[in-house]
């Protein structure tokens, strides 16, 4: 008997999704609630669980197809996978073939190619592109994603390792008669994922709608670095999470948003909504692009609670298990481009929010202190804001409050 697999409810106001990848092939055994497909929505990737145990049947939709909530996308047959007659027959031992110079390598090459094809057929489009670009055999890379699946980061790490090993081992001179490869002119056309399309529309909408402006400041990170170095081991031992810089900036932002409420507000029609809470959107890198899960009521959270929430979202983003509720809402955003080496940027607000704080890399620079030139660990900060409801004075004031709190963390403790 064939059991239908339907697109589940995707969340409030979300009516359709795109087939991102199939996690089970026809004929494979499927356990109850085991993920069999990944759907891409406007915000997150959602896995479709098997409604019954059995054998994966036919696909009713292909990768890249748009499907609506309730649509049938596959079937699951009752029973268990059965081996074919060729597999069930007892095989008699065969005499070893005579040595041959050419067939053996050809067979090995064929088997290797088959394993590559088999391994790459379950990869997501982003991972598959990375595999092709870097010439990596996916069957030789251990996946760190959910259920051991390969992520783009796994492939990039394997490519870097391959490059490093190749550089170390390339001591012999190239053959004199080796033909020189000409420049590549290859063009690959890849359809944008639904998530990437949505990101593009939202960011362009922000540019078209909001009166965007960015103000900058730099901050001396000495005090925060010193505090982190002094307490990070005790913090990790007590709370089982690493003490990072994001909790300091989150709490500093809370001081600024309470003193300058317009930065935590948003426009709705002809009205401005002022929030007495702070739901912090934290930009997190995921295999399919940047996602922005929300840490709610940050103003009432401790440092450890903030770090635990961010670490949990980072893990969920990596293995693709973020839910629609994780992404919903948000009144203010912090984006840390410094982890990728960015020196300075003008971040774009995340509609309908009205401001975003951009953090950048920390680097030692000469600065003047009491008439003396000293070396300090400095960071550029950028606050992009919607000038329709936030005046320049308010934006500069908010950024200055964050700067003062980071340079003197005691202000965070005494709410100054």
């Amino acid at each position: 008997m064939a059991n239908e697999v339907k697109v589940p409810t995707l969340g409030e106001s979300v009516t359709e999704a795109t087939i991102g990848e199939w996690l089970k092939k026809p004929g494979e055994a499927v356990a109850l609630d085991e993920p069999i497909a990944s759907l891409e929505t406007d915000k997150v990737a959602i896995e479709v669980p098997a409604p019954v145990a059995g054998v994966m049947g036919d696909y009713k939709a292909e990768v890249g197809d748009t499907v609506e909530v309730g649509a049938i996308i596959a079937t699951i047959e009752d029973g268990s996978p059965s081996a074919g007659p060729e597999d069930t027959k007892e095989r008699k031992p065969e005499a070893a073939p005579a040595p041959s110079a050419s067939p053996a390598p050809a067979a090995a090459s064929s088997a290797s190619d088959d394993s590559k094809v088999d391994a790459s057929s379950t990869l997501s489009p982003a991972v598959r592109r990375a595999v092709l670009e870097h010439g990596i055999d996916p069957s030789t890379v251990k996946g760190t994603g959910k259920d051991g699946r390969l992520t783009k980061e796994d492939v990039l790490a394997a490519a870097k390792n391959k490059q490093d090993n190749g550089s170390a081992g390339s001591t012999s001179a190239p053959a004199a008669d080796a033909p020189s490869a000409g420049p590549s002119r290859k063009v690959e056309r890849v359809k944008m994922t639904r998530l990437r399309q949505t990101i593009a529309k939202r960011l362009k909408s922000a540019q078209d709608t909001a009166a965007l402006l960015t103000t900058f400041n730099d901050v001396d990170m000495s005090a925060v670095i010193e505090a982190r170095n002094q307490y990070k081991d005790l913090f990790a031992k007590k709370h089982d999470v690493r003490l990072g810089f994001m909790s300091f900036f989150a709490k500093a932002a809370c001081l600024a948003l309470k003193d300058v409420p317009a930065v935590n507000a948003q426009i709705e029609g002809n009205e401005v909504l002022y929030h007495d809470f702070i739901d912090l959107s934290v930009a997190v890198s995921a295999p399919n692009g940047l996602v922005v899960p929300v840490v709610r009521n940050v103003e009432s959270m401790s440092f450890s609670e903030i770090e635990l929430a961010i670490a949990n979202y980072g893990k969920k983003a990596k293995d693709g298990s973020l839910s629609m509720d994780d992404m919903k809402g948000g009144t203010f955003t912090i984006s840390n481009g410094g982890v990728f080496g960015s020196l300075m940027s003008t971040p774009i607000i995340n509609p309908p929010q009205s401001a975003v704080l951009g953090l950048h890399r920390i680097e030692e620079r000469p600065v003047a202190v009491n008439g003396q030139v000293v070396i300090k660990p400095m960071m550029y900060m950028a606050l992009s804001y919607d000038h329709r409801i936030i005046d320049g004075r308010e934006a500069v004031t908010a950024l200055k409050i964050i700067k003062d709190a980071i340079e003197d963390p005691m202000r965070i403790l005494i709410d100054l």
Side-chain angles (χ1 to χ4, degrees):
M1 175 182 174
N3 301 278
E4 297 175 340
V5 180
K6 298 181 179 180
V7 177
T9 301
L10 302 173
E12 184 180 352
S13 75
V14 181
T15 60
E16 62 181 22
T18 301
I19 303 289
E21 61 177 314
W22 287 105
L23 307 179
K24 285 291 183 179
K25 298 178 182 177
E28 289 186 337
V30 177
L32 177 64
D33 292 330
E34 183 180 8
I36 62 171
S38 175
L39 302 178
E40 293 178 353
T41 70
D42 291 347
K43 295 184 178 180
V44 295
I46 296 176
E47 291 183 336
V48 180
V52 295
V55 180
M56 188 69 190
D58 296 330
Y59 300 153
K60 302 299 182 183
E62 300 298 328
V63 172
D65 288 354
T66 298
V67 291
E68 296 183 349
V69 173
I72 300 171
I73 58 173
T75 59
I76 295 178
E77 306 290 339
D78 292 336
S80 58
S82 57
E86 291 294 327
D87 298 325
T88 57
K89 259 192 321 192
E90 281 192 21
R91 301 191 177 207
K92 295 182 181 179
E94 298 177 3
S100 172
S102 57
S109 174
S110 176
S112 174
D113 292 343
D114 289 345
S115 66
K116 289 182 182 181
V117 172
D118 182 66
S120 64
S121 61
T122 59
L123 303 178
S124 68
V127 176
R128 190 176 297 114
R129 284 199 302 273
V131 165
L132 294 173
E133 288 173 4
H134 298 283
I136 299 297
D137 180 357
S139 63
T140 64
V141 182
K142 183 178 180 181
T144 60
K146 191 171 184 181
D147 297 329
R149 273 184 280 150
L150 241 61
T151 66
K152 186 177 180 181
E153 286 75 12
D154 296 332
V155 177
L156 295 179
K160 186 177 185 303
N161 185 51
K162 178 181 177 183
Q163 182 180 6
D164 293 343
N165 293 338
S167 299
S170 59
T171 57
S172 60
D177 58 349
S180 58
S184 172
R185 301 279 297 168
K186 180 180 178 181
V187 176
E188 182 182 8
R189 187 181 298 273
V190 180
K191 184 178 180 181
M192 292 173 66
T193 65
R194 178 175 290 271
L195 176 61
R196 176 53 59 185
Q197 292 179 49
T198 301
I199 291 173
K201 290 177 182 177
R202 287 174 62 84
L203 294 183
K204 186 57 183 172
S205 173
Q207 286 186 319
D208 293 341
T209 305
L212 288 177
L213 196 62
T214 303
T215 185
F216 299 93
N217 213 324
D218 60 356
V219 56
D220 179 0
M221 296 291 292
S222 299
V224 167
I225 291 175
E226 182 180 352
R228 181 174 177 268
N229 289 339
Q230 183 175 353
Y231 297 110
K232 64 181 181 180
D233 293 336
L234 291 173
F235 188 90
K237 184 177 180 180
K238 180 175 181 179
H239 302 293
D240 196 28
V241 68
R242 186 178 67 91
L243 176 60
F245 294 127
M246 281 297 290
S247 51
F248 286 94
F249 279 99
K251 298 302 285 186
C254 289
L255 296 180
L257 300 185
K258 284 191 292 183
D259 284 359
V260 190
V263 181
N264 195 43
Q266 65 186 55
I267 294 176
E268 189 174 278
N270 294 323
E271 299 176 328
V272 178
L273 305 182
Y274 292 95
H275 307 97
D276 65 352
F277 55 88
I278 299 170
D279 285 353
L280 183 64
S281 300
V282 182
V284 176
S285 179
N288 290 331
L290 198 69
V291 292
V292 194
V294 180
V295 182
R296 306 186 193 284
N297 289 107
V298 177
E299 76 285 353
S300 62
M301 297 175 71
S302 66
F303 275 65
S304 61
E305 289 172 331
I306 294 172
E307 293 290 357
L308 283 167
I310 294 174
N312 182 50
Y313 278 142
K315 183 178 182 300
K316 293 175 73 174
K318 186 175 181 180
D319 62 26
S321 59
L322 283 170
S323 68
M324 300 295 290
D325 289 337
D326 293 335
M327 313 284 288
K328 189 183 301 182
T331 61
F332 182 75
T333 295
I334 296 181
S335 177
N336 185 7
V339 297
F340 304 109
S342 172
L343 176 65
M344 186 180 291
S345 68
T346 54
I348 300 178
I349 63 174
N350 180 24
Q353 298 174 24
S354 299
V356 53
L357 175 66
L359 307 180
H360 303 90
R361 76 169 185 252
I362 302 170
E363 63 176 10
E364 292 188 340
R365 294 201 299 268
V367 294
V369 178
N370 297 325
Q372 300 292 322
V373 176
V374 295
I375 304 299
K376 293 279 191 177
M378 304 297 293
M379 174 198 285
Y380 288 115
M381 298 187 301
L383 183 73
S384 292
Y385 59 97
D386 189 345
H387 212 341
R388 293 179 299 170
I389 62 170
I390 302 173
D391 294 331
R393 174 184 59 83
E394 293 174 314
V396 172
T397 300
L399 194 57
K400 182 65 164 56
I401 292 173
I402 295 173
K403 171 185 170 71
D404 291 342
I406 294 299
E407 294 184 337
D408 182 8
M410 183 60 72
R411 288 173 173 265
I412 299 174
L413 181 62
I414 63 177
D415 193 16
L416 184 59

